Amino acid sequence: MRDMHIADRPRERIAARGADTLSNVDLVAAIIGSGIKGRDVRVIARDVCLLLGNGRPLPGYEDLSKVPGMGKVHSAQISAAFELARRLLCKPTGIRIHQPEDAEPLLAFLR
């Protein structure tokens, strides 16, 4: 990261242009902040992003800690970010489905 111009670093780009303008790799790099000797934060972030998507569940602390360079602190940071997002985005609706007809209004957008 030190080889990047300051304005091109993920945290500075968030401040200047907003988080929504960054790639997933850059967002992960901004969260973990630094790499380790011989392993740049962008490489670590890319490896974390390889664990995401394609219908897979989000990786947990144990999976994240297996990524070379993540360690306990970075794994905890990403796990905490995932949990915060889950809590904010997956608020309970209070809707209970007791029979198939109860689900119909929830699936109307599929028509």
Side-chain angles (χ1 to χ4, degrees):
M1 191 67 69
R2 290 185 182 126
D3 62 330
M4 293 182 82
H5 186 274
I6 290 177
D8 292 331
R9 295 178 183 173
R11 291 180 180 172
E12 286 74 9
R13 287 181 29 222
I14 289 172
R17 294 179 236 148
D20 61 326
T21 64
L22 273 67
S23 69
N24 290 349
V25 171
D26 286 336
L27 290 171
V28 171
I31 293 169
I32 61 177
S34 62
I36 60 170
K37 186 174 183 171
R39 196 148 165 82
D40 187 79
V41 67
R42 292 169 291 186
V43 174
I44 298 168
R46 185 201 66 223
D47 288 349
V48 168
C49 286
L50 291 175
L51 298 175
L52 307 175
N54 295 329
R56 292 186 297 239
L58 289 175
Y61 176 86
E62 293 297 323
D63 294 321
L64 292 166
S65 64
K66 292 176 185 173
V67 173
M70 280 296 284
K72 294 177 181 180
V73 173
H74 293 334
S75 297
Q77 288 171 315
I78 296 296
S79 294
F82 288 161
E83 179 58 20
L84 180 60
R86 186 194 66 77
R87 290 180 185 184
L88 294 174
L89 297 175
C90 300
K91 294 179 182 177
T93 63
I95 298 171
R96 299 228 182 240
I97 299 175
H98 299 285
Q99 54 192 13
E101 295 78 25
D102 296 339
E104 187 176 357
L106 301 173
L107 302 173
F109 71 94
L110 296 174
R111 292 183 192 175

